Amino acid sequence: MTPDPSILLTFGLLALTVLLLWVPAPAIRGRRDWAWCPGLALACVAGLAGGLLDWRAPLWILAYAALAIGARVASRAWIRVPLLVLTGVAAFLFALHRFPGFYNPVLAEGIRFSADTPAFSLRANADTAVAGIVLMGVFCERISRLADWRAMLRQVWPVVLSTLVVVLGLGWALGYVRPDWKWTPYSAWFLASNLLFTCVTEEAFFRGFILERLARGMARWRYGVLFATVLSSLLFGLAHARGGPLLVALATLAGVHYAVAYLRSRRIEGAILTHFALNAVHFVAFSYPYLTP
């Protein structure tokens, strides 16, 4: 699979922007986590030049980033809360491809990764990537030291193991998937894009944004964190409603594990790692996306 050069350049720059989220930059007003901003700007320029974006897309991105930054810096609750709600709605609409100006290419159509699964389309979604980049850049604390990476891994590996055994085991028992080891010409692109765009975006939204904000707002409640965990996991499950009730149930169960990984490690990277581990093992070692009835 060899995508068009404009696709490679635009999404290569978007991937670089995601990586820049973990690169410290010279401090501006005390902050060192802005290196992703020029990366996103370059990706927009490449998208405009390659026809993957039109003039409306940068305007939507600027408005979305302004909402997010406004929500983060607002000191008064009557300003902060509405801005947080608007930011969350905007992020969701980006993920649903509701903002005009983005022309997300289809890289391959009608792929069957297993003989007994439905056809699958492989897409490159710039708007979804943007949604996660801005949320991660504005709201999520990221690891900056090797020692913190080691500590995070020690804390989340039991959660990763539980996620794989419980979610994939239940999916196998219920006939949703079966073991099916495979490596295809699309595997490297799928895994890279799933990590950098899907997992980063979904964890930035459901754990770094929704769970964290709910948990903070309900900190005084006796079961506030538990309520925030359950609600964010249910919302994550419902986001997969197009796949049917069984996928909603499995995604909700997976969402609980991702929330535990986040809360146990207090690191968004723990949730991303747990999420990617499940998606990667599902794709490589089991039927993908699911068995046909």
Side-chain angles (χ1 to χ4, degrees), residues 88-120:
V89 170
F92 192 61
L93 292 175
F94 267 105
L96 290 178
H97 320 303
R98 291 294 186 265
F99 289 114
F102 296 86
Y103 304 99
N104 297 319
V106 178
L107 303 178
E109 249 182 325
I111 313 167
R112 290 188 183 274
F113 292 116
S114 304
D116 44 5
T117 59
F120 186 80

Side-chain angles (χ1 to χ4, degrees), residues 153-232:
L153 291 171
R154 286 195 299 269
Q155 290 163 334
V156 303
W157 75 261
V159 186
V160 172
L161 184 60
S162 174
T163 307
L164 296 176
V165 171
V166 173
V167 179
L168 288 174
L170 185 59
W172 186 6
L174 295 175
Y176 189 77
V177 295
R178 64 170 177 79
D180 179 32
W181 176 267
K182 56 193 170 299
W183 188 262
T184 75
Y186 305 98
S187 295
W189 173 273
F190 176 89
L191 293 173
S193 63
N194 191 268
L195 171 60
L196 296 175
F197 303 141
T198 303
C199 294
V200 166
T201 295
E202 292 184 356
E203 291 314 306
F205 183 68
F206 288 102
R207 258 58 64 176
F209 184 73
I210 291 182
L211 173 57
E212 180 65 24
R213 264 66 217 168
L214 286 175
R216 288 187 185 186
M218 299 176 182
R220 297 179 182 178
W221 295 17
R222 183 176 180 182
Y223 299 107
V225 174
L226 176 61
F227 179 82
T229 299
V230 172
L231 181 58
S232 63

